Amino acid sequence: MRLIVIGTILIQFLIAHNQNKEGLEWIMYQRVGMVHSDLFGEGASGYTRLKRTTINSFRDIRIFAHFFRSSNEIRIRQKSSRHFLTFENIYSFNTLIYEKSNALDMNLRYHFDQGLGIFVMNDSLGNLTLELGLVFENEDYLNNQKKTAYTRGGISVDQTFFSFKIKFEVDHYYQINERINLASLTRYQLLSEVTWYMSKNFGLLSGFILDVNREHKYYPSLFLTFSYVRPIDWIY
């Protein structure tokens, strides 16, 4: 119930934003399919994303969910960015994430990330970005106030080849404050997706998501979904 409330608040915040509208574009992404985990077996996979872009700014909200019989993984992410000063290939960003995952043995993780990014490559067929930020996290948001600080370095690649689109992301979180219970929370997060577009709006997508930490055994989640993309004729 708390996640639904959080998602509703973020959506309202997103669509209420009304700054520069030059080059305004809204796009909705939706997916449904199946997921496999060596730890939890087979389950259902769902994803929805609402993206708003202009010439100078970017905002989106994503809800990413895997449901198993005895477990689930749910992530709500809201990100906003805009050109930094007058540099067209450099942007400032902030990201807010609420995440619940039995696979990572956490109740509800709160995550706030702020920093700068650069477009190493950006054209009509895709982009390559690098990001560097400062992160504050609470691993058990509902039960305690302890926060962990990290530096984050990330690389993201999106590229289209004919009717295929490839996406790959790697984020490295390096813990910079004292360890909790002597355990290091430094980790890598990996995401990989390949989409075959059967038409302009419909596609078949496969991929995996994985958290890598030396202190814990890690289990990737492999998913296969049908995807649907459509523009939205909104003016705000």
Side-chain angles (χ1 to χ4, degrees):
M1 185 64 183
R2 288 179 179 268
L3 291 176
I4 295 175
V5 173
I6 292 168
T8 302
I9 293 172
L10 290 177
I11 291 174
Q12 291 175 344
F13 174 73
L14 178 67
I15 63 177
H17 188 69
N18 187 24
Q19 294 187 355
N20 184 7
K21 296 182 180 179
E22 187 177 359
L24 176 63
E25 183 179 39
W26 287 88
I27 301 179
M28 172 72 79
Y29 303 80
Q30 293 175 307
R31 304 175 193 166
V32 63
M34 61 180 294
V35 60
H36 169 81
S37 167
D38 289 341
L39 186 62
F40 300 114
E42 281 67 45
S45 177
Y47 173 96
T48 185
R49 177 188 182 193
L50 183 61
K51 182 176 74 171
R52 179 189 190 272
T53 58
T54 67
I55 290 178
N56 298 312
S57 65
F58 165 95
R59 278 180 175 256
D60 83 340
I61 183 168
R62 308 180 189 190
I63 302 176
F64 187 100
H66 291 156
F67 298 102
F68 303 94
R69 286 187 177 181
S70 60
S71 177
N72 57 63
E73 300 172 340
I74 301 174
R75 178 181 298 181
I76 299 176
R77 193 200 83 162
Q78 190 272 328
K79 183 174 183 177
S80 62
S81 64
R82 60 174 47 255
H83 287 164
F84 181 68
L85 301 177
T86 59
F87 300 100
E88 292 188 358
N89 64 330
I90 300 177
Y91 59 92
S92 61
F93 69 87
N94 61 73
T95 306
L96 179 64
I97 299 174
Y98 288 93
E99 182 177 12
K100 185 181 187 302
S101 174
N102 296 89
L104 300 178
D105 192 28
M106 64 183 178
N107 292 320
L108 182 64
R109 173 194 284 168
Y110 165 86
H111 170 116
F112 179 75
D113 183 5
Q114 190 170 46
L116 293 176
I118 182 171
F119 286 102
V120 179
M121 180 195 71
N122 188 26
D123 57 36
S124 61
L125 295 180
N127 60 69
L128 168 63
T129 62
L130 301 176
E131 292 186 348
L132 182 63
L134 184 63
V135 178
F136 295 96
E137 281 189 346
N138 184 324
E139 295 289 327
D140 194 358
Y141 181 66
L142 299 180
N143 298 313
N144 69 63
Q145 299 299 316
K146 293 182 180 179
K147 292 183 175 62
T148 307
Y150 305 84
T151 58
R152 180 184 73 88
I155 181 171
S156 176
V157 180
D158 282 275
Q159 192 67 39
T160 299
F161 301 95
F162 303 103
S163 58
F164 292 89
K165 182 177 181 180
I166 297 174
K167 181 181 185 67
F168 185 68
E169 296 181 355
V170 179
D171 291 302
H172 180 234
Y173 295 88
Y174 181 76
Q175 186 176 353
I176 58 176
N177 64 346
E178 62 179 326
R179 296 184 178 187
I180 299 174
N181 298 327
L182 301 180
S184 173
L185 299 177
T186 295
R187 67 186 187 276
Y188 286 91
Q189 282 189 342
L190 291 83
L191 170 68
S192 179
E193 297 176 351
V194 177
T195 306
W196 170 43
Y197 284 104
M198 297 176 285
S199 67
K200 181 179 179 180
N201 301 105
F202 291 93
L204 183 64
L205 182 147
S206 64
F208 72 86
I209 186 169
L210 174 65
D211 274 46
V212 180
N213 180 289
R214 292 181 181 180
E215 306 287 337
H216 299 89
K217 190 172 183 179
Y218 43 88
Y219 300 91
S221 294
L222 311 174
F223 48 89
L224 179 66
T225 63
F226 289 100
S227 65
Y228 176 65
V229 182
R230 66 182 177 94
I232 303 175
D233 189 21
W234 288 351
I235 61 174
Y236 41 87

